Amino acid sequence: MSEKISRRKIITAGLATAAGVSGLAAKIADRYGLLAPDSGRVFGAGEALTYGAQRLLMSHHSMAREFNRSEMSRQTTVNHEHPDDDDYEGFLERHFSDWRLVVEGLVARPSSFSLEDLKGMPSRSQITMLTCEEGWSFIAEWIGVPLAHVLSLVFPNSGAKWVVFYPFDDFWGSIDMPEALHPQTLLSYGMNGKDLSPDHGAPIRLRIPRQLGYKNLKFLNRISVTDDIKKIGDGNGSAAPEIGYSWYAGI
Ligand SMILES: Nc1nc2c(c(=O)[nH]1)N[C@H]1C(S)=C(S)[C@@H](COP(=O)(O)O)O[C@H]1N2
Ligand SMILES: [Mo]
């Protein structure tokens, strides 16, 4: 762990020095797809370098740690309860029987899937840690369908670079394709042997154990694939930068 951190620091420092000298690092980072969407902001240069350094260090297949059953937390924590929203409350009352996840954008076959459809797809269970940026965490078992599988059903265009998530609240967000196709990135419908509770994100949430809690978007409604993240919202890739958190939240 400490070895990884020091390697990361060295690379970040290297890129930072290059940036300080010529501003070339950002150009190179952009050229190789290593620039985070919010890199134009105040903390932008640093964010670009963190994201870039992690992308250089980690192959797409480096895995978040998975735990044993005996290491699961006795209690789970909720941060941000389910939305106080008429549409959401309606779906909840009807046990999401008429809810459908819309998957659209730069794809050959825009589709929508019911909760039953999603539960019928190949599933993956993983015992991982959810870590909130506020300083708490818990270990639980999440089950869901790999996002990669759902994407394979809609045929993203070869130019597709980002996957954007729209929940029932305003906390929209996005991830890049390597993260979207990672085997541990799930559209999760169950936690600790039960359906996801509303406060933990029903009907489905993004469960992305390689990134901090706030990237794990709950209460999903729609997913869109795009090649141009700058056109969405204020162009920073998610609602998080608007409240001071970086777009990229790799652990
Ligand atoms: N749609 C939506 N997703 C969200 C949030 C939110 O406010 N809205 N909060 C995030 C934050 S900050 C954290 S730490 C986790 C918490 O997940 P949990 O409530 O299941 O512990 O959800 C994330 N996903
Ligand atoms: Mo969080």
Side-chain angles (χ1 to χ4, degrees), residues 25 30 106 132 163 189 218:
D30 196 24
L106 212 56
C132 175
V163 181
Y189 44 75
K218 306 195 278 191

Side-chain angles (χ1 to χ4, degrees), residues 77-80 132 138 167 169 200 205 213-214 216 218-219:
T77 310
V78 163
N79 205 16
H80 308 115
C132 175
F138 65 89
D169 61 9
H200 278 304
R205 79 176 306 165
Y214 69 85
N216 290 249
K218 306 195 278 191
F219 336 114

Side-chain angles (χ1 to χ4, degrees), residues 21 34 37 99 106 165 204 209 233:
V21 170
L34 299 173
W99 167 89
L106 212 56
F165 300 87
I204 57 160

Side-chain angles (χ1 to χ4, degrees), residues 75-187:
Q75 283 189 336
T76 63
T77 310
V78 163
N79 205 16
H80 308 115
E81 292 173 358
H82 69 270
D84 183 14
D85 169 282
D86 286 348
D87 285 347
Y88 185 83
E89 297 282 355
F91 284 122
L92 183 56
E93 266 165 37
R94 298 184 297 276
H95 305 283
F96 299 102
S97 54
D98 55 343
W99 167 89
R100 294 181 79 84
L101 176 72
V102 172
V103 187
E104 59 181 16
L106 212 56
V107 299
R109 278 193 212 160
S111 307
S112 73
F113 304 103
S114 70
L115 192 50
E116 287 312 303
D117 292 338
L118 294 166
K119 286 182 173 177
M121 292 175 190
S123 68
R124 179 181 169 109
S125 287
Q126 56 199 23
I127 301 175
T128 53
M129 187 182 282
L130 187 146
T131 307
C132 175
E133 68 296 342
E134 290 167 6
W136 49 265
S137 61
F138 65 89
I139 296 169
E141 181 178 38
W142 280 270
I143 183 171
V145 50
L147 178 58
H149 178 79
V150 175
L151 290 175
S152 76
L153 300 175
V154 299
F155 297 94
N157 181 308
S158 59
K161 285 182 74 177
W162 316 95
V163 181
V164 190
F165 300 87
Y166 297 96
F168 281 93
D169 61 9
D170 300 330
F171 200 59
W172 70 280
S174 68
I175 57 178
D176 62 15
M177 271 297 167
E179 208 69 68
L181 300 178
H182 189 276
Q184 288 174 312
T185 300
L186 305 183
L187 293 179

